[in-house]
């Protein structure tokens, strides 16, 4: 598995969650600017497909919480999604923000020199096609970038489709609590990293992941002293909302 190839992990140790953490509306271009302003070298964001198969950024299945629209993203074309205000819910100064296409995010990340963790976040029932089309788009959009994006997903079906359509892109499998069969699942997808929710994790689990030659990413760590503890255990990357206080 990943031990047999050169280490593809060339990522910074701090990752801004949903582009700019709590400093900007999530999954927007404004967040990328804020990440750079806070000297963060890498951003995580959530990518899914519109009804007409345009990869774009949104965490939830519907647009209600993070825009002025209503409804399930899976039923909306990208032109309908692009018409929505994705910033005012957060603060009036962000009223111009939209749910950006993956293409516009790629362009901005490359311009700003930001590394990317593209979390494939399929709408219900669209795992395979989302994995395939997002991975294919990432491979095309970042083909000349010095560091390829790290793909990740909670959906093993999506990650398997990503592996088939863009096998050279590094992959990480996302878990909440680490399951007992995590290693088999990670190996099946030939992942380079294991991503886990940080609160239930302990030193021994981090060490057993690392002993398999795998990298680790902990989310969402918003306390600076907890981030230091995780780093002392050998965690490679800390994904945080608090890019202003976690360093
Ligand atoms: O990729 C880490 C983290 O973003 C996973 O959880 O729900 O914030 O996408 P969520
Ligand atoms: Mg995410």
């Amino acid at each position: 598995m990943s031990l047999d190839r050169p280490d593809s992990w060339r990522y910074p140790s701090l990752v801004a969650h949903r582009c700019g953490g709590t400093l900007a509306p999530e999954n927007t271009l404004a967040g990328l600017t804020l990440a750079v302003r806070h000297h963060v070298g890498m951003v995580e964001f959530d990518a899914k497909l519109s009804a007409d198969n345009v990869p774009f950024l949104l965490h939830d299945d519907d647009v209600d919480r993070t825009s002025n629209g209503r409804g399930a993203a899976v039923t909306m074309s990208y032109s309908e999604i692009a018409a929505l205000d994705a910033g005012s819910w957060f603060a009036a100064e962000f009223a111009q923000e939209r749910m950006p296409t993956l293409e516009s995010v790629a362009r901005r990340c490359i311009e700003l020199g930001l590394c990317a963790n593209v979390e494939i976040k399929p709408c219900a029932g669209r795992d395979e096609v989302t994995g395939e089309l997002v991975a294919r788009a990432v491979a095309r959009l970042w083909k000349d970038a010095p560091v390829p994006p790290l793909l990740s997903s909670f959906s093993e079906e999506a990650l398997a489709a990503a592996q088939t359509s863009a096998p050279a892109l590094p992959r990480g499998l996302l878990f909440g609590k680490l399951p007992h069969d995590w290693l088999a699942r990670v190996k099946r997808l030939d992942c380079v990293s294991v991503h886990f929710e940080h609160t239930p994790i302990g030193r021994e689990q981090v060490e057993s992941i690392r002993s398999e030659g795998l990298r680790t990413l902990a989310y969402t760590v918003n306390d600076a002293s907890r981030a230091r503890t995780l780093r002392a255990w050998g965690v490679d990357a800390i994904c945080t909302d608090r890019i202003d206080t976690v360093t």
Side-chain angles (χ1 to χ4, degrees):
M1 56 170 288
S2 49
L3 286 175
D4 301 323
R5 62 187 178 219
D7 192 356
S8 54
W9 190 272
R10 290 183 283 149
Y11 302 116
S13 61
L14 193 66
V15 183
H17 186 224
R18 304 184 193 175
C19 292
T22 48
L23 303 188
E26 65 187 58
N27 288 316
T28 62
L29 296 179
L32 304 180
T33 307
L34 268 295
V36 170
R37 200 169 295 162
H38 284 78
H39 310 289
V40 178
M42 184 163 180
V43 289
E44 181 268 359
F45 47 81
D46 306 296
K48 54 170 47 69
L49 299 177
S50 60
D52 51 344
N53 286 341
V54 177
F56 76 104
L57 268 52
L58 174 66
H59 180 275
D60 299 353
D61 276 346
D62 61 58
V63 301
D64 300 25
R65 181 178 61 85
T66 55
S67 83
N68 62 345
R70 291 285 171 273
V74 73
T75 66
M76 304 168 82
S77 67
Y78 185 70
S79 66
E80 291 174 290
I81 288 164
L84 300 174
D85 165 356
S88 290
W89 68 274
F90 184 85
E93 70 196 89
F94 293 103
Q96 300 309 313
E97 293 304 314
R98 294 293 177 262
M99 285 172 256
T101 59
L102 183 61
E103 182 165 356
S104 64
V105 172
R107 211 177 303 124
R108 193 65 64 85
C109 282
I110 292 165
E111 277 168 17
L112 294 171
L114 282 167
C115 292
N117 171 198
V118 181
E119 185 191 335
I120 305 169
K121 191 81 118 183
C123 291
R126 303 210 75 206
D127 296 64
E128 187 177 352
V129 66
T130 306
E132 178 194 334
L133 296 185
V134 168
R136 196 180 293 161
V138 167
R140 175 175 58 82
L141 295 167
W142 272 271
K143 75 175 162 33
D144 298 322
V147 181
L150 175 63
L151 299 180
S152 62
S153 192
F154 288 103
S155 166
E156 288 162 70
E157 192 182 347
L159 219 46
Q163 179 180 18
T164 302
S165 61
L169 289 174
R171 288 173 298 282
L173 185 54
L174 264 161
F175 297 106
K177 192 171 181 299
L178 210 60
H180 68 93
D181 59 347
W182 64 269
L183 183 57
R185 291 160 68 171
V186 165
K187 280 189 167 171
R188 200 177 303 136
L189 292 162
D190 195 18
C191 291
V192 301
S193 53
V194 180
H195 302 200
F196 45 77
E197 208 273 301
H198 79 93
T199 49
I201 212 80
R203 180 195 285 266
E204 276 182 21
Q205 285 171 305
V206 173
E207 286 174 355
S208 77
I209 298 168
R210 296 184 75 219
S211 72
E212 296 292 336
L214 293 158
R215 300 295 190 144
T216 48
L217 179 147
Y219 68 89
T220 304
V221 186
N222 293 332
D223 177 76
S225 84
R226 178 64 173 166
R228 281 193 293 276
T229 300
L230 291 160
R231 286 218 172 89
W233 293 349
V235 170
D236 295 287
I238 300 289
C239 184
T240 185
D241 286 322
R242 294 303 307 270
I243 55 176
D244 50 342
T245 55
V246 175
T247 53

